Amino acid sequence: MSTVTPADWQTGPAPHSAQDWIARAAEVAALLDTDTDTDAAARDRAGATPHAEVRLLKDSGLVTLLGPTEHGGGGQDWPDAVTAKTRGDFEVRVAAVKARATDVALEIDNRVFEVTGARSTATTEGLDRFWRNVRTRPPATRPPPLNEALRAAPVGLHDPVAYKRREVGRRVLEGELPEPTWYS
């Protein structure tokens, strides 16, 4: 557990090297990890915004990491902020979640049609949108409320799951980092 507080960042020296910034990011992660008052899932369901987390990131200086030092930024380059390994590891995690979310959405969709029968394919019921949207909609940038998410599941053919599974498999079995692609 971290004993660092945001006040320490205001009085102490600003990070200068990549290692200093990584240490600062670890401090922020520890503070966020110990914040038991904030339930991110409940906040998202309520449509609230993460004001406390944004304030913490601003106070830590991490939002200025890539800005030039002459303008008050951290002066770090992209290679310091994002390495090929961190990008690849993150991409593989996202790909695994994408593949699983697609599987779950398709399973739910199939079960809805099993339960409701052929009549549910009529446009008057509106359930045909589930099937179509699960298979063709691109990923959303921000998850909609649950009732909207059920109407427009953001998974499908425009972001093929086969590519995601291949990336995860190559990373797990061969240790190979995925190359950036249009589907990354």
Side-chain angles (χ1 to χ4, degrees), residues 139-164:
T141 54
R142 182 168 192 262
L146 183 59
N147 60 342
E148 289 178 31
L150 290 175
R151 276 190 258 129
V155 295
L157 297 176
H158 295 293
D159 192 15
V161 175
Y163 292 116
K164 305 299 180 189

Side-chain angles (χ1 to χ4, degrees), residues 152-174:
V155 295
L157 297 176
H158 295 293
D159 192 15
V161 175
Y163 292 116
K164 305 299 180 189
R165 289 195 175 107
R166 184 178 63 195
E167 289 173 359
V168 172
R170 284 184 175 165
R171 180 69 175 141
V172 170
L173 297 174
E174 300 171 9

Side-chain angles (χ1 to χ4, degrees), residues 31-155:
L31 285 170
L32 289 173
D33 213 20
T34 59
D35 185 7
T36 56
D37 295 336
T38 303
D39 180 9
R43 182 187 60 239
D44 288 347
R45 281 191 297 274
T49 55
H51 292 294
E53 290 87 342
V54 170
R55 172 60 38 214
L56 183 64
L57 287 171
K58 286 181 178 179
D59 290 346
S60 72
L62 288 174
V63 294
T64 66
L65 177 65
L66 298 175
T69 53
E70 58 269 16
H71 298 293
Q76 298 300 304
D77 293 329
W78 274 108
D80 293 334
V82 180
T83 65
K85 183 180 180 325
T86 57
R87 187 211 50 82
D89 288 342
F90 181 74
E91 184 179 333
V92 166
R93 281 184 255 159
V94 169
V97 169
K98 162 71 170 141
R100 183 65 184 136
T102 300
D103 290 344
V104 170
L106 289 171
E107 182 64 26
I108 290 170
D109 188 47
N110 289 336
R111 298 275 174 109
V112 165
F113 282 110
E114 272 180 25
V115 170
T116 57
R119 181 178 175 163
S120 65
T121 61
T123 56
T124 57
E125 302 297 328
L127 292 175
D128 61 311
R129 294 184 341 183
F130 291 116
W131 181 89
R132 186 174 46 254
N133 289 341
V134 164
R135 287 161 180 80
T136 62
R137 288 285 304 266
T141 54
R142 182 168 192 262
L146 183 59
N147 60 342
E148 289 178 31
L150 290 175
R151 276 190 258 129
V155 295

